[in-house]
């Protein structure tokens, strides 16, 4: 621009030759050319344009034709702005404009642009303004980004307000800054009253601490937020609600916002509680039936002493069925057992506990556990009850040093259970299969669809059962256990 200014014929402009300019204009021109920031000088009453290279870059197609020309004539799309600038500053005033929209000519087309600009008068030796010094910064990219963000925010709010769910957002520190129309319709609170941490005021007092604890954990770890709580409806009634939220992250992985929803689950929650109560009541009555059956058998055995052995065996089998039912039946918080209700290992431990009550580890479990449901629990309970009973009467558990090892493993969609006895009296294959053996086969092969193999080496009875995983549980999951043996 210095070269262009030096080569320009200034005598053809209202300013006249450069040597006739006031010293104030020449100083202002040197200041403009020395600056790295976009600067221009509007010289004289006509506002003849003199500018530096940085300012030329923001002029678009107006450069270089604007050099040495009156700004009002040669930048017509910004004439109103520059007329105001000249009138103000040539009277000694200043102007500071932020994000001023000024169309610019680029590639032959007018395009919107925004500038932050400062305008100051240039006084001569007598103090009379002889020009205007302008410093302008192109903030178009920022304004376009803010406009796009505002449009995106407006679209989001429109979408959120049409959703049937309550939608909210929060800043990275957890302060809530937005709730959609459904939230205010549901709660009936004034607009904006639940910003920041005010949202907790509409939570049931008994649920606030739990909701806060879960929310603080999500904020600290970035983990998804999910919790059930009671939310005060506009009617004053508290309704069960499911709250969920996920974090939004930038390219660096930092959380920039949380977006969440609240879903009214009150009817579903009440219905589930009612179903659970009915299931528990039904299950309790079934358990009572097992108790009545064992009582009837005990009475019959006393009346007919010759049936005592048969009655005891039948009572044991009914007891095993009852324990299996109690293990997988619906429970309340008060009645729920400590053991995992879907664990085969836990069921076996419960059934065999009476056969090794001293806790000496005579019965041990190795390998993988399996997930079971109510359909598999009963036949498995009958199987292990018969094995435990026979081991206590005739096998390894009938001798002081005898031990039983149970191993579980998964082989390509099949669960393999192995029962091994050692340390008991010598055994041999039975001459015929008794009722208990037939019951084992019926339970394992008939009900579970498994394959049963039994062997009687001298050191102790062995049994292998292969069952499809799908027959054990609808979820068919395996829970891996440490390879070391663990007491059943």
């Amino acid at each position: 621009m210095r070269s262009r200014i030096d080569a320009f014929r200034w005598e053809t402009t209202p300013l006249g030759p450069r040597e006739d300019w006031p010293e104030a204009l020449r100083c202002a021109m040197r200041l403009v050319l020395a600056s790295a920031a976009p600067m221009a000088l509007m010289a004289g009453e006509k506002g003849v344009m003199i500018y530096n290279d940085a300012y030329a870059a923001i002029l678009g197609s107006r450069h270089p034709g604007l050099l040495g020309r009156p700004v009002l004539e040669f930048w017509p799309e910004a004439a109103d702005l520059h007329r105001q600038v000249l009138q103000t500053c040539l009277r000694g005033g200043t102007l500071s404009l932020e994000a001023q929209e000024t169309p610019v000519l680029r590639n032959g087309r007018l395009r919107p642009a925004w500038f932050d600009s400062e305008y100051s008068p240039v006084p001569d030796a007598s103090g009379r303004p002889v020009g205007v010094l302008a410093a302008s910064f192109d903030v178009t990219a920022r304004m376009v980004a803010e406009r796009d963000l505002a449009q995106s925010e407006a679209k989001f709010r429109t979408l959120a307000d049409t959703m049937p769910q309550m939608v909210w957002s929060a800043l990275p520190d957890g302060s809530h800054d937005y709730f959609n129309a459904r939230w205010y319709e549901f709660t009936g609170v004034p607009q904006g009253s639940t910003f920041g941490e005010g949202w907790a005021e509409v939570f049931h007092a008994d649920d606030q601490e739990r909701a806060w604890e879960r929310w603080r954990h999500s904020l600290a770890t970035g983990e998804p937020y999910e919790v059930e709580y009671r939310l005060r409806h506009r009617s004053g009634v508290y309704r069960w609600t499911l709250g969920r939220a996920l974090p939004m992250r930038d390219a660096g992985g930092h959380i920039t916002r949380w977006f969440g929803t609240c879903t009214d689950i009150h009817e579903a929650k009440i219905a589930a509680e009612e179903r659970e109560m009915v299931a528990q009541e039904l299950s309790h009555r079934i358990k009572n039936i097992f108790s009545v059956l064992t009582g009837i058998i005990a009475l019959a055995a006393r009346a007919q002493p010759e049936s005592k052995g048969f009655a005891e065996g039948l009572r044991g089998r009914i007891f095993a069925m009852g324990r299996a039912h109690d293990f997988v039946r619906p429970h309340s918080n008060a009645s729920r057992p400590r053991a995992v209700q879907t664990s085969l290992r836990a069921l076996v431990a419960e059934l065999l506990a009476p056969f090794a009550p001293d806790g000496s580890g005579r019965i041990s479990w190795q390998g993988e556990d399996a997930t079971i449901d109510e359909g598999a629990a009963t036949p498995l309970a009958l199987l292990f009850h018969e094995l435990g009973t026979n081991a206590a009467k005739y096998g390894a558990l009938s001798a002081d040093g005898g031990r039983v090892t149970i191993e579980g493993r998964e082989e390509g969609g099949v669960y393999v259970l192995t029962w091994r006895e050692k340390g008991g009296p010598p055994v041999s294959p039975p001459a015929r299969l008794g009722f208990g053996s037939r019951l084992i086969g019926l339970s394992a092969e008939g009900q579970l669809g498994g394959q049963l193999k039994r062997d009687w080496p001298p050191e102790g009875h062995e049994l292998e059962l292969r069952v499809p995983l799908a027959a054990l549980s609808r979820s068919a999951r395996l829970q891996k256990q440490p390879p070391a043996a663990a007491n059943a």
Side-chain angles (χ1 to χ4, degrees):
M1 286 306 300
R2 184 183 299 275
S3 298
R4 289 181 181 274
I5 291 171
D6 289 343
F8 195 84
R9 296 178 59 193
W10 292 101
E11 66 273 10
T12 63
T13 72
L15 297 180
R18 286 174 58 179
E19 57 270 19
D20 294 339
W21 293 1
E23 181 60 24
L25 283 183
R26 290 199 293 268
C27 288
M29 183 183 68
R30 289 194 293 269
L31 175 64
V32 166
L33 291 176
S35 174
M39 292 191 69
L41 172 63
M42 300 178 192
E45 296 180 357
K46 298 290 187 179
V48 176
M49 289 295 290
I50 303 170
Y51 48 89
N52 62 10
D53 290 285
Y55 198 91
I58 67 177
L59 285 176
S61 302
R62 291 293 174 197
H63 171 71
L66 193 59
L67 178 64
R69 307 301 180 188
V71 67
L72 298 182
E73 298 177 25
F74 288 86
W75 197 346
E77 58 269 20
D80 291 341
L81 167 65
H82 293 128
R83 186 174 292 109
Q84 178 189 6
V85 169
L86 290 172
Q87 290 175 354
T88 301
C89 293
L90 292 180
R91 292 174 182 172
T94 61
L95 277 178
S96 179
L97 302 177
E98 183 177 351
Q100 176 69 37
E101 184 174 2
T102 307
V104 295
L105 189 65
R106 288 175 179 165
N107 299 322
R109 296 177 59 187
L110 280 176
R111 300 183 183 277
W114 288 264
F115 300 91
D116 287 348
S117 301
E118 299 284 343
Y119 301 96
S120 303
V122 178
D124 63 9
S126 65
R128 181 177 65 88
V130 292
V132 178
L133 199 61
S136 296
F137 298 91
D138 191 340
V139 294
T140 302
R142 187 192 78 197
M143 296 302 297
V144 170
E146 291 178 357
R147 180 194 62 191
D148 292 345
L149 180 61
Q151 291 177 349
S152 176
E153 186 79 9
K155 290 179 181 179
F156 165 74
R157 290 175 182 268
T158 301
L159 176 63
D161 283 342
T162 60
M163 292 181 64
Q165 289 177 305
M166 292 170 271
V167 180
W168 52 269
S169 68
L171 301 176
D173 64 359
S175 299
H176 288 62
D177 63 349
Y178 170 76
F179 293 91
N180 73 340
R182 299 290 85 74
W183 167 269
Y184 293 109
E185 290 177 6
F186 183 93
T187 60
V189 299
Q191 291 272 347
S193 62
T194 49
F195 285 169
E197 298 180 353
W199 56 274
E201 296 301 320
V202 293
F203 280 41
H204 194 286
D206 294 343
D207 301 335
Q208 288 188 20
E209 183 177 353
R210 178 167 50 85
W212 266 114
E213 181 180 357
R214 187 71 189 93
W215 181 230
R216 282 191 288 263
H217 175 79
S218 294
L219 292 176
T221 64
E223 295 178 4
Y225 172 72
E226 181 170 334
V227 65
E228 292 182 2
Y229 46 74
R230 285 161 291 184
L231 197 62
R232 188 176 65 234
H233 188 256
R234 61 179 179 272
S235 63
V237 175
Y238 283 93
R239 296 179 63 84
W240 279 104
T241 307
L242 173 63
R244 286 175 172 166
L246 290 173
M248 301 293 291
R249 300 179 184 270
D250 60 18
H254 301 100
I255 295 175
T256 59
R257 201 90 175 271
W258 286 85
F259 287 98
T261 60
C262 300
T263 305
D264 187 344
I265 59 170
H266 191 74
E267 280 74 19
K269 181 85 170 178
I270 298 303
E273 291 176 351
E274 291 175 350
R275 286 195 300 270
E276 183 178 359
M277 289 179 60
V278 171
Q280 289 177 11
E281 178 62 23
L282 179 60
S283 182
H284 179 70
R285 295 189 181 190
I286 292 174
K287 183 179 180 182
N288 287 342
I289 291 174
F290 283 123
S291 299
V292 171
L293 283 174
T294 55
I296 291 174
I297 293 171
L299 289 173
R302 284 198 291 270
Q304 300 179 21
E306 67 277 9
S307 303
K308 182 178 180 181
F310 170 78
E312 288 298 323
L314 183 58
R315 284 184 62 195
R317 293 172 182 122
I318 292 177
F319 172 79
M321 293 174 63
R323 295 304 299 149
H325 168 76
D326 191 53
F327 188 79
V328 297
R329 73 179 177 90
H331 285 273
S332 65
N333 291 332
S335 67
R336 184 169 289 112
R338 293 182 180 177
V340 180
Q341 288 177 263
T342 57
S343 165
L344 172 59
R345 175 180 171 180
L347 174 63
V348 171
E350 190 168 343
L351 290 168
L352 298 183
F355 300 106
D358 55 0
S360 60
R362 298 181 67 193
I363 302 176
S364 62
W365 180 286
Q366 296 178 344
E368 299 168 322
D369 195 0
T371 299
I372 60 171
D373 61 15
E374 65 275 9
T378 298
L380 288 171
L382 290 174
L383 168 69
F384 281 100
H385 172 76
E386 293 298 327
L387 291 173
T389 299
N390 291 337
K393 288 182 178 180
Y394 319 111
L397 299 182
S398 66
D400 290 340
R403 296 177 60 86
V404 172
T405 301
I406 305 167
E407 180 183 358
R409 68 182 187 277
E410 186 262 335
E411 293 182 357
V414 175
Y415 188 70
V416 183
L417 262 174
T418 304
W419 170 284
R420 291 189 180 92
E421 299 181 30
K422 288 187 178 181
V427 298
S428 59
R432 63 182 182 85
L433 295 178
F435 175 76
S437 296
R438 292 195 298 273
L439 183 61
I440 288 176
L442 178 65
S443 300
E445 297 175 342
Q447 293 181 263
L448 295 175
Q451 297 177 353
L452 193 65
K453 184 173 71 174
R454 304 181 70 177
D455 194 13
W456 286 268
E459 58 270 19
H461 175 220
E462 293 184 1
L463 176 143
E464 182 184 86
L465 172 63
R466 305 177 69 87
V467 184
L469 280 173
L472 294 178
S473 170
R474 285 182 290 271
S475 60
R477 290 185 296 107
L478 280 180
Q479 299 170 345
K480 300 292 184 180
Q481 297 295 320
N487 292 339

